[in-house]
Amino acid sequence: MFKIIWKKEYNTNVREIDEQHQHLVHLINVLLAERAKGESPAALKKILVEIIDYTKYHFKTEEEHMVRHQYEHLEEHKANHRTLVDQIVALLNELKGGKSLSSEDLLTILRNWLINHIEKEDLKYSMFLGQAKRVIS
Ligand SMILES: [Fe+2]
């Protein structure tokens, strides 16, 4: 079964952010597992709502962290977060509209959506902090 495995390359080395990223990956894996088991659209919607809520909470944490550390690309990163939330909310609306969640939709969530963001944008922030090795809170 398709599952995201956490890789060390995803680490920003900011403990709180990494823990939240891992929880998000866990939630997405739950969604994948439920879909594979053939769970009802209602069950999938429920987990997608949980993913959206946790994502919003997580982005808020990241943005607060970035404000504290005066991140130079804060506005750009925030805009990026807004786009990501819009994309997943659009996915939820499609589900609500009766569309089933295709493998392609799920791949969008996995690759383009979360992992790309973590690997590119969040890592840029980690580099800005100079956190290549050190773990901070
Ligand atoms: Fe981010």
Side-chain angles (χ1 to χ4, degrees):
M1 197 197 65
F2 207 61
K3 190 175 186 246
I4 315 179
I5 310 287
W6 187 262
K7 292 197 287 186
K8 64 176 188 329
E9 287 79 12
Y10 301 154
N11 282 325
T12 62
N13 291 320
V14 177
R15 197 190 317 266
E16 190 181 25
I17 293 176
D18 289 336
E19 282 170 3
Q20 291 184 359
H21 281 159
Q22 287 181 31
H23 185 64
L24 268 173
V25 165
H26 162 75
L27 290 176
I28 292 177
N29 282 336
V30 171
L31 175 66
L32 286 168
E34 289 198 354
R35 186 181 171 273
K37 274 192 295 178
E39 287 288 349
S40 67
L44 298 182
K45 261 181 257 171
K46 194 168 165 267
I47 179 75
L48 202 54
V49 168
E50 204 181 326
I51 292 172
I52 291 169
D53 288 346
Y54 194 79
T55 298
K56 287 179 181 167
Y57 162 74
H58 163 64
F59 285 169
K60 202 166 158 274
T61 305
E62 262 190 22
E63 288 166 14
E64 282 168 3
H65 203 281
M66 289 172 179
V67 167
R68 259 197 329 270
H69 293 271
Q70 297 172 310
Y71 184 40
E72 53 191 348
H73 301 297
L74 174 68
E75 286 313 313
E76 198 184 314
H77 201 107
K78 272 166 93 169
N80 212 293
H81 283 169
R82 274 195 296 274
T83 306
L84 291 171
V85 170
D86 287 350
Q87 283 173 346
I88 197 163
V89 168
L91 199 65
L92 175 67
N93 286 336
E94 282 180 18
L95 248 170
K96 281 183 177 165
K99 194 174 170 261
S100 63
L101 207 55
S102 68
S103 305
E104 202 182 304
D105 292 332
L106 285 170
L107 281 173
T108 305
I109 297 178
L110 301 177
R111 298 220 177 97
N112 304 336
W113 192 75
L114 184 69
I115 299 298
N116 265 8
H117 180 72
I118 293 175
E119 272 191 318
K120 291 187 187 145
E121 302 307 320
D122 293 342
L123 241 55
K124 242 196 254 173
Y125 177 56
S126 170
M127 297 206 349
F128 163 82
L129 288 174
Q131 292 306 322
K133 302 251 166 7
R134 207 151 54 89
V135 174
I136 59 162
S137 52

